[in-house]
């Protein structure tokens, strides 16, 4: 396989190998990764400079600066960390316990993306363009510490984070999308029966992306080992357990949806409900038919119209109702969400027993109002 990808692997490897010791660089400044850094070697090309015109880099970084993210770590936040004088990107997934976080390495070379890399899109801006490719196959465990000199440089929505978690679960399950290996190709593909993401193609024989992934995987392992070492004279802290995929939920697709959206409650309930419904609407686009290569990979220039489903009930949830609470109620009724939320926050349902299920909704403390679908739109 002799595909030329940009930037060349030699340039990427050089960026990893020429970092100065952390003590030689000011906090938050990397020797190689930050463009126009005074500590960068003269004449050394900076990887991010090779990928975008400088005017576009300036526009995106100005947007990040105007956004002025706080330093707080939270699921879905994109952070930069300094290790051996290099700037590495991490998308935070979840807090495992205490100050220990799990996340994925973030890079900036879309040409090198595989089927388990997710490319951030214009809707995800502002974010640091160096970290626009999330490596859902490269799991990291880390915790906030002064040695990381961490900064928040972006934040993805609940829906995007859920989609990345779904890609990670496919990687953990060794799923093989029905896509031909084609390095350098980026397309829209379905994942988890609910989302669409921009990603690359699977690795093939003699694929140059194998060496690229090994380079980033080693960087993640070195970062984890460095953080596990005791600092100065402080007592040795227990080493973080290696990052590993979470077990697959036992209650099927809905269990996966609840986990992908963080039903432990990190998302604001109203925002999470809207995000979840956007996923439900996409099921008609993505998961409603058998999977073929045409279904797995689709370009944005070929939209697919959703198939309308007939609703017989409508419901409006009370403020603050969580995804898992609403889901449990709908499952007791075997209700199917087929539309909404409308301008008034109304969701449209299809149920087998409209009269009996309407009584269930009316009696629930989670419901603000409910009625036949013909009464409200």
């Amino acid at each position: 396989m002799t595909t030329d990808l940009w930037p060349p692997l030699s340039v990427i490897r050089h960026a990893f190998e020429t970092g100065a010791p952390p003590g030689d660089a000011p906090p938050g400044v990397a020797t190689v990764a930050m463009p126009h850094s005074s500590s960068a070697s003269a004449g050394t090309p900076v990887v991010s400079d090779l990928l975008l015109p400088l005017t576009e880099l300036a526009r995106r970084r100005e947007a990040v600066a105007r956004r002025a993210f706080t330093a707080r770590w939270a699921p879905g936040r994109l952070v930069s960390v300094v290790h051996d004088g290099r700037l590495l990107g991490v998308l935070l997934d979840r807090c495992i316990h205490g100050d220990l976080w799990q996340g994925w390495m973030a890079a900036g070379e879309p040409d090198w993306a595989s089927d388990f890399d997710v490319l951030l899109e214009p809707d995800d801006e502002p974010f640091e363009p160096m970290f626009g490719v999330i490596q859902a196959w490269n799991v990291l465990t880390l915790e906030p510490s002064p040695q990381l000199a961490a900064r928040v440089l972006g934040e993805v929505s609940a829906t995007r984070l859920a989609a990345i978690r779904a890609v990670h679960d496919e990687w953990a399950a060794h799923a093989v999308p029905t896509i031909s290996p084609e390095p350098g190709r980026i397309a829209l593909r379905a994942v988890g029966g609910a989302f669409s993401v921009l990603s690359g193609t699977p690795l093939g024989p003699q694929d140059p992306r194998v060496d690229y992934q090994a380079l980033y995987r080693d960087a993640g392992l070195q970062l984890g080992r460095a953080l596990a070492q005791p600092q100065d004279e402080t007592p040795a802290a227990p080493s973080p357990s290696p990052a590993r995929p979470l077990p697959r939920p036992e209650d099927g697709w809905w269990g996966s949806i609840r986990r992908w959206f963080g039903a432990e409650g990190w998302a604001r309930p109203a925002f999470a409900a809207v995000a979840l419904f956007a996923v439900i609407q996409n099921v008609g686009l993505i998961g409603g038919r058998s999977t073929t290569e045409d279904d797995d990979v689709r370009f944005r220039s070929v939209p697919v119209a959703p198939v309308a489903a007939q609703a017989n009930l409508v419901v409006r949830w009370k403020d603050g109702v969580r995804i898992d609470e609403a889901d449990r109620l709908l499952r007791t009724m075997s209700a199917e969400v087929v539309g909404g939320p409308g301008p008034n926050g109304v969701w449209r349902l299809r149920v087998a027993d409209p009269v009996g299920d309407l009584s269930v909704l009316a009696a629930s403390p989670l419901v603000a109002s409910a009625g036949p679908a013909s009464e409200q739109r």
Side-chain angles (χ1 to χ4, degrees), residues 114 117 137-138 203 209-218:
S114 73
D117 291 279
W137 50 269
N138 195 0
L203 302 181
R209 294 173 295 173
V210 172
D211 292 336
Y212 169 85
Q213 289 194 357
L215 189 64
Y216 270 97
R217 188 176 288 109
D218 287 346

Side-chain angles (χ1 to χ4, degrees), residues 234-260:
T234 57
S239 298
S241 57
R244 60 185 184 278
L246 294 178
R248 186 176 182 84
E250 297 180 356
D251 46 352
W253 185 80
W254 268 110
S256 295
I257 285 289
R258 288 195 303 277
R259 194 184 78 190
W260 294 335

Side-chain angles (χ1 to χ4, degrees), residues 263-310:
E264 65 268 24
W266 68 266
R268 296 188 301 275
F271 179 59
V274 172
L276 175 61
F277 191 78
V279 168
I280 295 171
Q281 286 180 313
N282 283 339
V283 173
L285 296 173
I286 300 171
R289 56 190 184 277
S290 60
T291 300
T292 65
E293 182 165 347
D294 288 340
D295 290 328
D296 280 342
V297 180
R298 294 186 308 282
F299 290 91
R300 291 194 184 280
S301 58
V302 188
V304 182
V307 178
Q310 186 65 39

